[in-house]
């Protein structure tokens, strides 16, 4: 294993993470531990197995998509050194690097942490990257800037013990206004800023709170938990909700393990009651959010220029060829910020892919012409902020030279897509190929679509929805169709998702499945029909609702006819070989450990973390690590008996039934459930923390004793020696 080079800029917590990752990689390479356990571990460190064997995708966690010029250069340098020289922007405002060797991931992480960039909890059963409207802080429609809240949420849940090993991932978004441009309606928690007046007539900040949204094979729109929640309760509420999800969420049936299913099972009222039951255990019942260290909002106002005045400036500076594009770019990619006289510039990036050389050149442009506050956007582009009007022509010229001044940002012509079969294990058919074909077709045949912001097109390589196809006006997800003995790559067409004429998100309907190579023709059918038959001013989703699903099924049905399939249709986009479905093991979340010994080692690690938190005086975190010690130790013995449970709550009850009499004497007959669930009956004080951690240690020692006895009775080898406690 290579010697790690870690600078003094890397925090102590990050150093520990990086050295531990290197240690775990070494142990796994030497054959220690199960593959499932290692997968779960590395996913929570942003290391994700690719479709191609032996290489990894590294997901870089950028809260609300913010990246500085120096950080962008550092990511580009890491891509050159460890990956392919490409930066892939995602729909959750991350940047991904592909084809990285597993052994290189610790040093890659260390190089990123030197620039204050993390991989921690970018994947796995954790709180994923916190997303936000890229325009937050400069949005003319926003009641207030949600950026500080997004930063605070990111910091609060990073390495937080309550969110390290949930049943599934948990996603949070913050929109800048009622337009919900961060898609709160499809998140586990969506926060939309609002202002209201208190009894004294003062304006008070808060959020409309949406919960339980999600995409995937069974998409659900979020439900409204609160029309107004005071801003200092946003983080406490989210923590309490995560605690409930951790306690009652599904853990066996992966396809039922998201918050949306728990909400559906319990109902909104019962779920919120359980949230309130957790309130006493929170370390902060109210948590005001501090201003950011960086704040560009207070720049002096400038004199705004009209589009005609800007065009006149451009005419003096730009060549005739550039002037053919500049007005379109100005109209579709540039907007005036809420700060008078300053402009936001949006960069359309095909497939979300940018070369490392382009990224470094972009960073230099930002240093010269914009605030050092780049935002990756949810449609896989970039946003530059605080650009002067007089700099727009030269900025356009420099971006155009890099291929970053394509007009039509976030328009119909700007398709959002996941990597599909290019790298992902779960993908069924190509996403990139059909995206390129559609964008070329629309540019040639429907050039005015760069001005259309009504119809959004999104594509995923499978039903899981990384390309957010269910939340699109026109969505496609990769699939397959059997035709005789052969299989064709296919697209499932979804219509009517995304936003209606008002800012209300909805899930699209599955309309029809057709061969992938007929995707461009299907798009022609849809666009031409809408242009011909829609009423004046009628949004696409309104038109879809008026015509009904069956109308569009009949419209597209001829394209699903397999009686005359061309040879090329048996080959996917960008591929010459005959198509066949090759779906690997998904890594969107870890797999539950099924080895008793490994599980007990894991329980011991949690107890050690509990003692560390006691030593640091972080009582609430120590308590939760101790709670996880109880859960993991109990799981180990139940696994040994071949007993599976769906939830932590069910696990505790089952443990009482199976082992309660072995663990408690006549002097101490407190049920296991009562001991464990005292976590949400007490304030997180030092006294309770020390008592609870001590009880967890005694419990785990007893678990080992019981397990050793079981092994002795069966003649199996004894467990490896474990030292339970503070110094293990």
């Amino acid at each position: 294993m290579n010697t790690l080079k870690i600078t003094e800029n890397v925090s102590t917590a990050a150093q520990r993470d990086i050295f531990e990752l290197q240690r775990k990689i070494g142990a796994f390479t030497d054959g220690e531990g199960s593959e499932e356990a290692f997968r779960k571990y590395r996913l929570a460190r942003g290391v994700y197995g690719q479709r191609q064997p032996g290489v990894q995708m590294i997901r870089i966690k950028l809260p609300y998509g913010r990246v500085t010029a120096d950080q962008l250069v550092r990511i580009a340098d890491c891509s050159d050194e460890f990956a392919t020289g490409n930066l892939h922007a995602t729909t959750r405002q991350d940047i991904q690097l592909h084809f990285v060797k597993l052994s290189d991931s610790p040093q890659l992480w260390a190089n990123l942490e030197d620039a204050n960039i993390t991989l921690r909890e970018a994947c796995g059963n954790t709180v994923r990257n916190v997303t936000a409207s890229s325009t937050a802080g400069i949005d003319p429609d926003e009641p207030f800037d949600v950026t500080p809240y997004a930063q605070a949420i990111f910091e609060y849940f990073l390495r937080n013990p309550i969110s390290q090993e949930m049943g599934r991932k948990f996603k949070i978004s913050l929109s800048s206004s009622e337009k919900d441009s961060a898609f709160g309606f499809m998140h586990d928690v969506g926060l939309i800023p609002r202002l209201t007046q208190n009894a004294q007539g003062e304006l008070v900040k808060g959020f409309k709170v949406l919960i339980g949204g999600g995409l995937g094979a069974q998409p659900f729109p979020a439900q409204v938990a609160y029309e107004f929640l005071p801003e200092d309760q946003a983080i406490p509420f989210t923590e309490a909700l995560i605690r409930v999800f951790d306690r009652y969420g599904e853990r066996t049936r992966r396809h039922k393990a998201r918050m949306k299913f728990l909400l559906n099972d319990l109902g909104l009222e019962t779920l919120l009651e359980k949230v309130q039951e957790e309130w006493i255990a929170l370390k902060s019942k109210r948590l005001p959010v501090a201003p950011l260290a960086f704040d560009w909002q207070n720049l002096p106002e400038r004199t705004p220029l009209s589009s005609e005045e800007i065009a006149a400036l451009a005419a003096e500076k730009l060549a005739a060829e550039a002037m053919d594009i500049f007005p379109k770019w100005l109209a579709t990619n540039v907007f005036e910020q809420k700060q008078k006289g300053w402009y936001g510039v949006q960069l359309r990036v095909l497939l979300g892919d940018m070369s490392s050389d382009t990224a470094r050149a972009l960073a230099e442009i930002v240093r010269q012409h914009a605030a050092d506050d780049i935002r990756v956007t949810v449609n896989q582009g970039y946003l530059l902020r605080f650009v002067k009007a007089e700099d727009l022509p030269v900025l356009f010229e420099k971006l155009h030279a890099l291929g970053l001044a394509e007009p039509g940002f976030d328009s119909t012509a700007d398709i959002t897509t996941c990597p599909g079969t290019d790298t992902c294990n779960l993908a069924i058919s190509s996403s990139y190929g059909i995206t390129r074909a559609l964008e070329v077709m629309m540019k040639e045949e429907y050039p005015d679509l760069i001005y259309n912001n009504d119809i959004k097109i999104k594509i995923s390589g499978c039903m899981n929805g990384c390309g957010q196809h269910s939340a699109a006006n026109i969505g496609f997800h990769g699939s397959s169709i059997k035709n005789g003995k052969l299989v064709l790559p296919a697209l499932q067409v979804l219509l009517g998702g995304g936003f209606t004429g008002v800012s209300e998100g909805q899930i699209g309907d599955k309309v029809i499945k057709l061969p992938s190579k007929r995707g461009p023709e299907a798009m022609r059918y849809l666009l031409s029909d809408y242009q011909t038959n829609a009423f004046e001013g009628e949004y696409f989703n309104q038109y879809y609702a008026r015509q009904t699903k069956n109308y569009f099924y009949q419209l597209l049905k001829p394209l699903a006819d397999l009686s005359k399939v061309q040879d090329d249709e048996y080959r996917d986009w960008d591929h010459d070989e005959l198509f066949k479905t090759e779906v690997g093991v998904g890594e969107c979340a870890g797999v539950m450990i099924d080895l008793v010994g490994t599980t007990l080692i894991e329980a011991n690690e949690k107890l050690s973390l509990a003692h560390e938190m006691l030593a640091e005086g972080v009582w609430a975190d120590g308590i939760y690590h101790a709670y996880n010690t109880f859960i993991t130790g109990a799981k180990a013995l139940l696994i040994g008996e071949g007993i599976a449970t769906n939830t932590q709550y069910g696990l505790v009850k089952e443990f009482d039934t199976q082992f309660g009499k072995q663990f408690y004497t006549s002097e101490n007959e407190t049920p296991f459930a009562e001991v464990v669930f005292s976590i949400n009956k007490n304030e997180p004080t030092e006294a309770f923390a020390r008592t609870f951690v001590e009880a967890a240690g005694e419990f785990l020692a007893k678990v080992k004793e019981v397990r050793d006895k079981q092994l002795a009775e069966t003649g199996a080898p004894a467990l490896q020696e474990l030292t339970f406690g503070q110094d293990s």
Side-chain angles (χ1 to χ4, degrees):
M1 191 69 67
N2 296 331
T3 302
L4 283 174
K5 300 176 182 177
I6 300 182
T7 70
E8 60 184 13
N9 294 332
V10 180
S11 70
T12 302
Q15 287 188 36
R16 175 175 175 169
D17 281 344
I18 294 164
F19 280 119
E20 185 183 37
L21 174 62
Q22 186 182 51
R23 192 162 53 247
K24 293 274 189 180
I25 290 172
F28 177 71
T29 304
D30 291 341
E32 299 177 21
S34 70
E35 183 174 355
E36 291 82 4
F38 180 63
R39 179 187 296 128
K40 185 181 76 168
Y41 172 82
R42 63 173 166 75
L43 281 170
R45 278 75 185 166
V47 183
Y48 190 106
Q50 284 188 200
R51 192 181 192 90
Q52 297 79 6
V55 291
Q56 317 294 315
M57 176 270 284
I58 301 297
R59 182 174 292 153
I60 299 168
K61 192 174 186 180
L62 301 174
Y64 51 96
R66 183 177 186 266
V67 61
T68 67
D70 287 348
Q71 287 175 329
L72 188 62
V73 170
R74 180 59 56 88
I75 295 170
D77 292 345
C78 285
S79 185
D80 280 345
E81 183 174 358
F82 301 108
T84 62
N86 183 66
L87 286 66
H88 176 71
T90 78
T91 56
R92 294 198 53 74
Q93 299 176 289
D94 299 302
I95 290 177
Q96 294 177 172
L97 307 182
H98 291 90
F99 296 93
V100 176
K101 294 178 183 177
L102 180 62
S103 59
D104 284 341
S105 56
Q107 188 61 62
L108 189 160
W109 190 0
N111 291 3
L112 291 173
E113 285 283 357
D114 178 66
N116 197 28
I117 307 167
T118 193
L119 308 183
R120 182 68 190 246
E121 294 144 51
C123 308
N125 297 331
T126 60
V127 173
R128 297 289 187 86
N129 194 33
V130 177
T131 61
S133 300
S134 58
T135 55
I138 64 174
D139 186 346
D141 296 323
E142 69 182 19
F144 57 88
D145 182 11
V146 300
T147 304
Y149 299 89
Q151 179 70 26
I153 290 170
F154 158 72
E155 292 175 358
Y156 189 85
F157 290 109
L158 186 69
R159 299 185 178 90
N160 194 313
I162 73 166
S163 55
Q164 296 306 298
E165 296 182 46
M166 298 180 290
R168 283 296 305 279
K169 55 194 173 185
F170 195 93
K171 298 180 177 180
I172 303 169
S173 78
L174 296 93
S175 287
S176 59
S177 74
E178 295 289 339
K179 292 179 179 178
D180 195 16
S181 57
F183 308 131
F185 76 94
M186 64 183 199
H187 281 75
D188 296 291
V189 172
L191 301 175
I192 299 174
R194 286 184 168 176
L195 296 173
T196 191
Q197 283 190 333
N198 62 15
Q200 291 74 42
E202 302 165 324
L203 285 178
V204 178
K205 296 178 181 178
F207 294 96
K208 177 182 180 180
V209 182
L210 305 172
I211 63 172
L215 300 181
Q218 293 179 269
F220 283 71
Q223 297 183 38
V224 179
Y226 296 100
E227 290 291 349
F228 184 86
L229 183 72
E231 54 90 18
D232 59 2
Q233 292 186 38
I235 292 177
F237 169 80
T238 304
E239 178 182 354
L241 183 65
I242 291 173
R243 284 171 171 261
V244 173
F245 178 52
D246 198 31
R247 199 100 63 241
Y248 296 95
E250 174 69 41
R251 287 176 176 269
T252 301
R253 299 170 298 168
R254 182 177 173 278
H255 64 288
K256 292 286 186 181
R258 291 295 301 274
M259 169 62 74
K260 60 187 178 183
F261 295 109
L262 181 61
L263 173 57
N264 190 56
D265 290 344
L266 295 179
L268 181 61
E269 183 177 353
T270 300
L271 180 63
L272 292 180
E273 287 174 358
K274 291 188 178 298
V275 167
Q276 287 304 311
E277 290 172 5
E278 297 291 327
W279 213 263
I280 190 173
L282 302 182
K283 55 184 171 185
S284 299
K285 310 310 190 273
R286 293 182 178 274
L287 192 61
V289 170
L292 293 169
F294 61 92
D295 185 1
W296 299 91
Q297 295 195 70
N298 296 322
L299 290 176
E301 291 186 353
R302 298 179 58 83
T303 302
L305 300 181
S306 68
S307 57
E308 291 79 11
E309 290 172 316
I310 296 172
L313 284 175
E316 297 174 3
K317 300 179 180 180
L318 300 179
E321 177 194 359
M323 280 306 298
D324 290 339
I325 305 171
F326 181 80
K328 299 175 184 177
W329 175 82
L330 188 65
T332 61
N333 293 34
V334 179
F335 66 94
E336 186 176 358
Q337 300 177 180
K338 73 176 186 181
Q339 293 84 6
K340 189 175 179 181
W342 295 95
Y343 293 83
V345 175
Q346 299 165 121
L347 312 184
R348 181 179 167 188
V349 180
L350 178 63
L351 308 176
D353 287 341
M354 180 185 293
S355 75
S356 55
D357 287 341
T358 299
R360 280 186 284 266
L362 175 61
E364 186 56 34
I365 290 172
V366 168
R367 293 185 182 109
Q368 295 175 18
H369 300 290
D372 193 15
D373 187 2
I374 310 162
R375 303 287 172 99
V376 180
T377 65
V378 294
N379 66 327
Q380 302 175 289
Y382 292 79
L383 170 63
L384 311 186
R385 302 148 69 90
F386 290 94
V387 176
K388 300 174 183 176
E390 57 267 31
D391 282 354
L392 287 171
V394 67
L395 177 63
F396 165 80
E397 188 173 40
K398 292 179 179 180
L399 292 174
H400 183 57
L402 294 175
L404 294 177
E406 184 72 19
F409 178 87
D410 202 28
S411 67
T412 306
D414 187 9
I415 299 175
T416 299
T417 184
C418 74
T421 50
D422 278 40
T423 56
C424 180
N425 270 324
L426 289 175
I428 299 171
S429 62
S430 171
S431 299
Y432 275 7
I434 181 62
T435 298
R436 290 190 190 97
L438 289 175
E439 290 209 1
V440 169
M441 182 273 290
M442 289 190 291
K443 185 174 184 178
E444 293 176 351
E445 301 178 27
Y446 301 87
D448 288 344
L449 285 180
I450 61 170
Y451 301 107
N452 187 313
N453 296 114
D454 165 30
I455 304 173
K456 302 289 195 269
I457 303 170
K458 300 178 185 287
I459 301 175
S460 301
C462 71
M463 66 182 69
N464 287 287
C466 292
Q468 302 176 344
H469 61 270
S470 296
N473 307 104
I474 300 175
F476 299 102
H477 80 67
S479 188
S480 61
I481 299 175
K482 192 169 183 180
N483 189 33
K485 294 182 179 180
L486 296 177
V487 181
L488 292 83
L491 295 171
Q492 174 68 57
V493 182
L494 297 92
L495 301 174
F499 295 109
T500 60
V502 293
S503 298
E504 293 178 0
Q506 56 191 29
I507 302 300
D509 295 328
K510 289 185 177 181
V511 175
I512 197 169
K513 188 191 293 186
L514 45 84
S516 292
K517 289 295 178 69
R518 301 179 189 180
E521 189 65 12
M523 188 62 69
R524 290 187 185 97
Y525 277 35
L526 292 169
L527 295 175
S528 296
D529 178 80
Y530 175 62
Q531 289 180 350
T532 302
N533 298 317
F535 295 153
E536 182 69 27
E538 187 174 32
Y539 288 96
F540 181 85
N541 277 8
Q542 294 170 336
Y543 176 64
Y544 172 75
R546 176 167 65 84
Q547 294 285 38
T548 75
K549 174 181 174 179
N550 185 60
Y551 172 88
F552 286 92
Y553 172 79
Q554 296 298 333
L555 176 70
L556 298 175
K557 186 177 179 181
L559 296 178
D561 181 8
L562 301 181
S563 61
K564 295 181 180 179
V565 177
Q566 302 298 314
D567 180 69
D568 185 54
E569 294 183 278
Y570 289 107
R571 293 167 171 78
D572 206 353
W573 294 98
D574 295 339
H575 290 265
D576 296 325
E577 73 280 5
L578 289 177
F579 175 79
K580 57 181 179 179
T581 54
E582 294 179 323
V583 180
V585 177
E587 296 209 331
C588 291
V591 179
M592 186 175 288
I593 297 174
D594 60 359
L595 300 175
V596 176
T598 305
T599 307
L600 284 173
I601 292 171
E602 190 177 340
N604 189 55
E605 291 173 349
K606 298 180 191 307
L607 183 61
S608 295
L609 290 170
H611 281 291
E612 286 184 23
M613 293 300 100
L614 291 189
E616 294 177 15
V618 187
W619 314 125
D621 288 2
I623 291 166
Y624 215 87
H625 282 306
Y627 167 78
N628 280 326
T629 303
F630 279 117
I631 294 296
T632 310
K635 181 171 71 174
L637 289 189
L638 290 174
I639 287 172
E641 296 296 316
I643 298 171
T645 55
N646 288 2
T647 66
Q648 287 186 350
Y649 183 81
L651 181 149
V652 171
K653 295 295 186 182
E654 186 66 33
F655 186 86
D656 254 342
T657 301
Q658 298 292 329
F659 296 100
K661 292 181 180 179
Q662 292 179 255
F663 275 72
Y664 303 104
T665 65
S666 57
E667 291 81 21
N668 180 16
E669 295 181 348
T670 306
F672 180 63
E674 187 174 325
V675 174
V676 175
F677 293 142
S678 66
I679 186 174
N680 66 358
K681 305 293 190 299
N682 292 271
E683 293 278 353
T685 61
E686 177 180 0
F688 177 66
R690 294 193 180 280
T691 300
F692 198 63
V693 172
E694 182 181 1
E698 293 173 354
F699 168 76
L700 196 53
K702 180 68 174 178
V703 167
K704 181 179 181 296
E705 180 184 322
V706 170
R707 181 58 179 167
D708 284 345
K709 183 178 179 181
Q710 291 174 341
L711 294 173
E713 291 173 350
T714 61
L719 290 171
Q720 69 180 81
E721 186 63 31
L722 297 177
T723 304
F724 295 108
Q726 185 172 358
D727 298 323
S728 59

